[in-house]
Amino acid sequence: MPDLDPEDEKIIVLARSTRARIQAEEGAAVRDTDGRTYAAATVDLPSFKLTALQAAVAAAVSSGAEGLEAAAVVTNQVMVKGASVQAVHDLTPSAPILRADPSGAVQEILR
């Protein structure tokens, strides 16, 4: 992978620490067009389920974000879930999504 922008590295660190803090399946973080960041983990309740990226996008939108610059998800999975990609692209179709493994190494950048 190419060298990452320091701001992209920051959202990977946020996603990774959020995942680790609660031992979630995934951790995610997004950066809005004002440079603010939002982090979240997988929500898996009997009546309510969200991917980590859906939860991070929801946090951004509920805080007034009108667009995203980038998103990151830390997961053991080899693909980002379709619902996660759609949540990001619903807000900003061109926002890149960085998929990193639990060590924080970027495995893929979805555009």
Side-chain angles (χ1 to χ4, degrees):
M1 283 286 130
D3 289 332
L4 293 178
D5 177 279
E7 292 300 312
D8 289 343
E9 289 178 11
K10 177 180 173 182
I11 61 173
I12 291 171
V13 168
L14 286 170
R16 188 172 175 228
S17 62
T18 299
R19 178 183 182 268
R21 183 172 45 254
I22 64 167
Q23 300 297 303
E25 178 184 342
E26 296 179 338
V30 298
R31 183 176 62 252
D32 72 13
T33 53
D34 291 328
R36 297 176 296 185
T37 56
Y38 307 88
T42 306
V43 176
D44 192 2
L45 301 172
S47 64
F48 187 62
K49 297 182 187 314
L50 289 175
T51 69
L53 209 40
Q54 287 174 316
V57 169
V61 170
S62 67
S63 295
E66 296 181 4
L68 299 176
E69 288 183 353
V73 61
V74 174
T75 181
N76 282 322
Q77 302 299 314
V78 296
M79 292 179 57
V80 177
K81 294 176 183 172
S84 295
V85 173
Q86 192 59 52
V88 171
H89 290 168
D90 281 349
L91 195 54
T92 306
S94 61
I97 302 169
L98 300 101
R99 180 179 59 84
D101 65 20
S103 75
V106 175
Q107 302 299 307
E108 174 181 33
I109 300 175
L110 302 165
R111 300 199 183 266

